[in-house]
Amino acid sequence: MKAVRTIEELRSGIRALQINLGPEATVGLVPTMGYLHEGHASLIRRARKDNGIVVVSIFVNPIQFGPGEDYETYPRDEARDLALAEAEGADLVFLPSVETMYPQPTKTKIMVSDITTRLCGASRPGHFDGVTTVVSKLFNIVQPDKGYFGMKDVQQVAVLQQMVQDLNMNVEIVPCPIVREEDGLALSSRNVYLSEEERRQALVLSRSLREAAAAVSEGTAVTAGDIRNLLKRVISQSPLADIEYAEVVSFPGLQPYPDDEEISRKDEAVLMALAVRFGRTRLIDNRLFNPKEAN
Ligand code: AMP
């Protein structure tokens, strides 16, 4: 494995592997912000299985953080990240500086409309513009055949799929399942911010999603309103939880269902999505399910 910091080194590293492996070796890209955990590892493993060449990028992207968010304090551990990426079989790790990614002045941004204004987009204005801009740049730099993204950030997956389709980008977005701790908490680099008590109470996210899916299949929750109420009731049992949203929307369109819409009879994927604050830590989780098959 090779760790590189400049675009030139990365491109020549990819070219060297392509010359070695031949033209049928596809390139898989796993974009991350580092402080890697088992969720990231699962993406790298999937990329390794699918491709001849695996590139992992580690870049805490300043333009996807809003004012007052945790850009400065976002956890970083380069040595541990490189060891994990190597253990999972990455060929190249790209660790650009902010100056490498955003030489001044930059005047171009990629923006996806509509679906970026809901859910996380409502409370984090500009966040998804930062994501689509950096991912477009990484796609242009690496020119991957496939990009690997976790369903933990389900809105990100929907937004990137829309971007790739709208701009005819020659990259397949590969969504990968959410990796959880044994007790159900979705892995996140931000989990390290949680106090012991917050960590315990944070289990309400996954529990509420599980209970809501069960209630739909048992017939005790029928409408979108029933599901929203159930999610909020379960989450509110944790006194430290401050709900930002508990939503029921279509996927990948992310259209909120009206409160009286019968979800239990739907023959399409329905997304339950949560953002909940515990102190200064904002956690997200979601469950995509088919109501007719929910258990
Ligand atoms: P991040 O470093 O948090 O920007 O995440 C980089 C990639 O890893 C994104 O595509 C995330 O969706 C994905 N990811 C983060 N946490 C998880 C998880 N618990 N399970 C699966 N994928 C994840």
Side-chain angles (χ1 to χ4, degrees):
M1 189 189 79
K2 212 169 156 194
V4 296
R5 293 181 196 275
T6 67
I7 293 168
E8 296 68 34
E9 284 175 292
L10 178 62
R11 284 189 170 145
S12 71
I14 294 171
R15 245 190 331 268
L17 287 165
Q18 280 168 331
I19 289 166
N20 243 332
L21 297 167
E24 60 292 341
T26 56
V27 178
L29 171 66
V30 183
T32 81
M33 296 206 300
Y35 213 67
L36 303 181
H37 52 63
E38 186 52 34
H40 301 108
S42 73
L43 269 51
I44 302 172
R45 274 199 293 278
R46 175 71 200 276
R48 182 70 283 168
K49 190 163 80 69
D50 293 353
N51 300 281
I53 299 167
V54 175
V55 179
V56 175
S57 64
I58 297 178
F59 179 60
V60 185
N61 177 33
I63 68 166
Q64 72 185 68
F65 289 78
E69 289 189 354
D70 57 346
Y71 173 67
E72 306 293 343
T73 55
Y74 195 83
R76 292 161 165 91
D77 189 341
E78 206 176 282
R80 206 181 56 126
D81 287 350
L82 290 175
L84 185 144
E86 179 151 40
E88 298 302 345
D91 296 303
L92 285 159
V93 179
F94 181 44
L95 306 128
S97 66
V98 173
E99 295 69 32
T100 294
M101 288 303 280
Y102 300 112
Q104 290 304 319
T106 54
K107 299 186 180 175
T108 309
K109 248 188 202 174
I110 302 291
M111 288 189 210
V112 173
S113 63
D114 183 52
I115 55 173
T116 52
T117 60
R118 289 189 278 277
L119 303 176
C120 292
S123 60
R124 305 186 73 190
H127 166 69
F128 287 108
D129 301 345
V131 170
T132 45
T133 300
V134 80
V135 171
S136 300
K137 286 171 71 76
L138 290 169
F139 283 175
N140 285 332
I141 293 166
V142 175
Q143 304 201 339
D145 297 280
K146 297 181 183 197
Y148 294 80
F149 296 89
M151 285 294 277
K152 160 89 192 322
D153 298 277
V154 65
Q155 187 171 12
Q156 176 168 280
V157 168
V159 168
L160 293 175
Q161 279 174 336
Q162 187 74 47
M163 174 186 85
V164 162
Q165 185 183 319
D166 289 351
L167 296 180
N168 309 96
M169 291 181 173
N170 199 15
V171 185
E172 184 191 339
I173 302 291
V174 182
C176 301
I178 302 176
V179 177
R180 299 178 179 281
E181 302 276 9
E182 242 169 57
D183 61 9
L185 182 69
L187 294 187
S188 163
S189 305
R190 291 189 168 100
N191 288 351
V192 293
Y193 296 152
L194 296 168
S195 70
E196 214 173 293
E197 183 55 23
E198 289 169 342
R199 167 69 183 78
R200 208 177 57 76
Q201 295 197 18
L203 287 181
V204 279
L205 275 83
S206 55
R207 186 156 60 83
S208 67
L209 294 167
R210 228 172 22 245
E211 288 187 19
V216 173
S217 71
E218 288 158 11
T220 51
V222 175
T223 65
D226 293 341
I227 298 173
R228 288 187 183 108
N229 289 338
L230 189 152
L231 291 170
K232 286 177 184 162
R233 196 175 61 243
V234 175
I235 296 167
S236 303
Q237 287 165 5
S238 281
L240 296 177
D242 178 11
I243 300 174
E244 186 181 295
Y245 64 76
E247 261 303 345
V248 187
V249 300
S250 63
F251 185 83
L254 308 183
Q255 294 291 341
Y257 292 110
D259 266 341
D260 61 358
E261 181 116 356
E262 279 196 29
I263 297 298
S264 53
R265 293 217 222 132
K266 290 218 165 295
D267 204 6
E268 64 194 26
V270 167
L271 177 68
M272 301 187 288
L274 308 173
V276 180
R277 287 177 193 281
F278 290 84
R280 67 183 182 112
T281 310
R282 181 177 178 277
L283 298 180
I284 56 172
D285 200 352
N286 71 84
R287 186 170 174 135
L288 189 62
F289 74 118
N290 191 317
K292 286 201 166 163
E293 300 162 6
N295 51 49

